Amino acid sequence: MRNLYDFIVKNIHVFLFILLTIVGLFFIYNSSSYRQWAINSMTKEMIGPFLKLRSTYIEYIHLKEINAKLLNENRKLLHKAYNQDFSVSTEFTYKDTSRKPIFDYVTASVIENTIHLQNNYIILDRGRKDSIFPDMGVISNLGIVGIVKDVSPNYCIVLSVLHKEFSLSAKLLKNNVAGILLWDGMNHAIAQLKNITTVENIVEGDTVVVQHSLIFPTNYPIGTVANINQQVKGGYYVLDIQLFEKMDRINKVWIIKNNYADELTKLKKMGEDE
Amino acid sequence: MSKYGYVLSFILLLLFQIIIVNSVSLWGIITPMVYILFILILPFQTPRWLVVLLGFLMGFSVDMFTGVLGLHAIASGLIAFLRMPIINVIPSKVTFEEHLRPILWDMHFKWYFQYVLYLTLIHHIVYYFLEAMSFDNFLLVLGIALLNVAFTVLLLMLFQVIFFKASKRY
């Protein structure tokens, strides 16, 4: 303490000089906007690298937030991209405020995911509190993921595409030929598309998308044809479909809510009863 | 020179600077800054913090009459701070005695000329670059600064010849 005091007294002129210089610079800074600008740009240049370092650090910390923002934005874009079925023609579109969009999208994070079982499940961090119900579709930005099976207040279990019970009507994008998407339990990257007649001209690499469905948006991507099995039994192909979504790496997904599902199922029942 | 003598020289130099020198501007670019003479003539024994404070005050006073606050203050505060190191650096044949003051008649001409020149150089270069606030017109600003240095040094030496006389031995 004594030494510090001595040091300060001995070098008081240095401290005084520094202090007065700072005061002087402060006055210069306040004198005109040009000087403010000049000092600002000079200091920016000097401390620029540090600022950059700081911003990268902050960016890293806020990655979670940024991610959430992006997800939200993607959700809006999805809305735009897959909710246009009702518009008859671009010339006659009108704003129908009474009609809800067909699909609502809820972002969710994967909590648990299996791929090595025969019947694989995914658990998401959304539940009844987020108005999630069974039979809602789950997609990622690349392709379909599964269908909600059970819901608890805060979580839901999703029947993965890699589940023996999972089936979905899918079609080839180029010629609208429809089949049933199933999984044979072998490879987690490949699902099967069955019931496609051998009459159709199919090439490896053809895109497979969702057919009209209550659960998934029409034409939502699934995968590409990886292999055409030639064992022709009763005139049907079994196609191997390379899934767009890598099921071992899913992290952020959307749960899709069809606002007209109830109405459509009722209508179907009415038709069947008659 | 007593304490009051220094106070008086502070006021006189300030008035001389702001009333006469600042209103004479040769070719629009040369305004010698004779007020720094006040820092130069402070006795060797003056505490360094006091020199810094007085230098800053002098510069600040000039600033108050010339526009931008802080320009002269910083420049003259700097030379007040650097005065002692520069005195120590300049080689001297004279042994410093108690009664000697940093004025022309007490020291050798060569020593005193260097003393004035170095401090004026530092002051002017700092001042003009602070004023320009950039190194864009580096040579132009430097040229103006050096021209002013010549005139300031000339004036300061003249002041020494006219207004000062050798200190008496007590």
Side-chain angles (χ1 to χ4, degrees):
Chain A
M1 207 55 214
R2 178 78 200 162
N3 285 344
L4 183 69
Y5 179 75
D6 283 349
F7 175 76
I8 290 171
V9 168
K10 208 176 157 192
N11 294 298
I12 187 77
H13 63 284
V14 179
F15 295 114
L16 190 67
F17 168 66
I18 292 169
L19 180 78
L20 291 177
T21 305
I22 290 167
V23 170
L25 282 173
F26 179 74
F27 277 116
I28 293 177
Y29 181 79
N30 283 326
S31 65
S32 78
S33 55
Y34 164 69
R35 290 195 164 75
Q36 284 186 10
W37 172 81
I39 288 177
N40 279 343
S41 60
M42 205 191 297
T43 48
K44 287 257 163 55
E45 211 151 286
M46 284 194 289
I47 63 174
F50 298 98
L51 282 179
K52 209 172 173 187
L53 199 73
R54 186 172 152 271
S55 77
T56 42
Y57 176 67
I58 286 174
E59 216 174 270
Y60 179 74
I61 286 181
H62 289 283
L63 270 181
K64 217 175 173 181
E65 237 169 78
I66 292 166
N67 227 346
K69 253 186 214 165
L70 281 175
L71 275 175
N72 202 24
E73 207 173 300
N74 276 351
R75 188 175 60 82
K76 279 179 193 160
L77 289 174
L78 274 173
H79 251 285
K80 265 195 178 164
Y82 288 103
N83 275 326
Q84 291 173 349
D85 296 18
F86 281 127
S87 56
V88 182
S89 143
T90 45
E91 277 175 53
F92 297 105
T93 45
Y94 54 93
K95 269 205 171 153
D96 188 350
T97 46
S98 66
R99 198 191 267 286
K100 279 191 203 166
I102 312 172
F103 293 112
D104 278 338
Y105 298 84
V106 181
T107 61
S109 294
V110 173
I111 288 180
E112 208 183 303
N113 178 25
T114 60
I115 51 160
H116 59 275
L117 304 174
Q118 288 295 304
N119 295 307
N120 292 296
Y121 287 99
I122 302 165
I123 297 176
L124 302 178
D125 65 344
R126 299 281 181 185
R128 207 173 293 125
K129 283 181 183 169
D130 307 289
S131 62
I132 304 299
F133 298 103
D135 290 338
M136 285 184 179
V138 179
I139 60 173
S140 73
N141 54 344
L142 295 175
I144 61 162
V145 169
I147 295 169
V148 176
K149 183 103 195 298
D150 275 316
V151 183
S152 72
N154 291 303
Y155 300 99
C156 64
I157 289 183
V158 175
L159 201 74
S160 168
V161 175
L162 311 178
H163 192 287
K164 278 289 177 70
E165 281 176 31
F166 184 91
S167 75
L168 177 73
S169 55
K171 66 180 182 185
L172 291 155
L173 186 62
K174 74 169 180 187
N175 49 13
N176 281 339
V177 178
I180 298 172
L181 189 78
L182 298 163
W183 187 55
D184 63 358
M186 303 288 281
N187 185 341
H188 68 258
I190 288 171
Q192 276 68 38
L193 188 63
K194 287 178 180 168
N195 286 8
I196 296 215
T197 52
T198 47
V199 184
E200 301 299 336
N201 175 26
I202 292 160
V203 195
E204 283 181 22
D206 284 350
T207 308
V208 178
V209 296
V210 176
Q211 213 204 2
H212 289 291
S213 152
L214 291 181
I215 297 170
F216 294 104
T218 307
N219 286 353
Y220 200 81
I222 296 172
T224 54
V225 175
N227 188 22
I228 303 164
N229 288 336
Q230 295 292 349
Q231 327 148 306
V232 192
K233 279 182 186 169
Y236 292 105
Y237 277 136
V238 177
L239 305 177
D240 282 346
I241 308 298
Q242 175 86 40
L243 296 173
F244 281 131
E245 180 57 54
K246 292 181 173 53
M247 295 302 289
D248 52 340
R249 276 173 222 172
I250 47 173
N251 180 21
K252 298 278 179 187
V253 294
W254 288 279
I255 302 168
I256 320 170
K257 184 181 180 186
N258 188 335
N259 291 323
Y260 297 96
D262 287 347
E263 196 181 321
L264 282 165
T265 40
K266 264 181 206 164
L267 193 67
K268 267 189 178 175
K269 249 189 187 164
M270 274 164 67
E272 279 164 14
D273 287 348
E274 274 171 25
Chain B
M1 211 158 33
S2 67
K3 259 185 205 167
Y4 302 109
Y6 285 107
V7 174
L8 193 67
S9 65
F10 184 99
I11 294 166
L12 284 178
L13 275 168
L14 181 62
L15 288 177
F16 183 75
Q17 177 72 41
I18 60 180
I19 294 171
I20 298 169
V21 182
N22 280 352
S23 44
V24 179
S25 178
L26 290 176
W27 306 299
I29 49 170
I30 291 167
T31 42
M33 296 168 200
V34 288
Y35 71 89
I36 60 170
L37 183 64
F38 177 75
I39 300 154
L40 302 186
I41 61 170
L42 287 172
F44 290 120
Q45 295 87 353
T46 321
R48 295 182 69 174
W49 64 267
L50 187 62
V51 178
V52 170
L53 190 65
L54 286 174
F56 186 83
L57 261 182
M58 187 71 191
F60 200 76
S61 311
V62 176
D63 274 332
M64 292 212 282
F65 294 93
T66 53
V68 183
L69 283 180
L71 285 181
H72 287 287
I74 287 181
S76 63
L78 179 66
I79 58 163
F81 177 68
L82 291 176
R83 194 182 79 132
M84 221 50 202
I86 280 177
I87 288 173
N88 290 332
V89 162
I90 303 168
S92 165
K93 284 174 201 157
V94 184
T95 47
F96 288 102
E97 287 177 51
E98 279 288 302
H99 71 286
L100 290 178
R101 289 181 294 146
I103 58 174
L104 179 63
W105 303 114
D106 283 9
M107 316 298 292
H108 283 286
F109 176 80
K110 199 177 159 191
W111 186 93
Y112 200 74
F113 183 75
Q114 285 183 60
Y115 174 60
V116 172
L117 180 67
Y118 295 159
L119 288 178
T120 313
L121 256 177
I122 295 168
H123 177 276
H124 281 41
I125 288 173
V126 167
Y127 173 82
Y128 280 103
F129 277 106
L130 259 184
E131 206 236 331
M133 239 353 134
S134 78
F135 295 108
D136 292 349
N137 297 318
F138 184 80
L139 286 177
L140 180 74
V141 176
L142 192 68
I144 290 174
L146 291 180
L147 260 177
N148 276 282
V149 168
F151 277 81
T152 305
V153 169
L154 189 72
L155 262 178
L156 291 181
M157 296 310 269
L158 271 176
F159 263 65
Q160 291 289 324
V161 174
I162 295 167
F163 294 109
F164 291 85
K165 56 183 188 227
S167 314
K168 284 188 219 95
R169 208 178 267 278
Y170 298 106

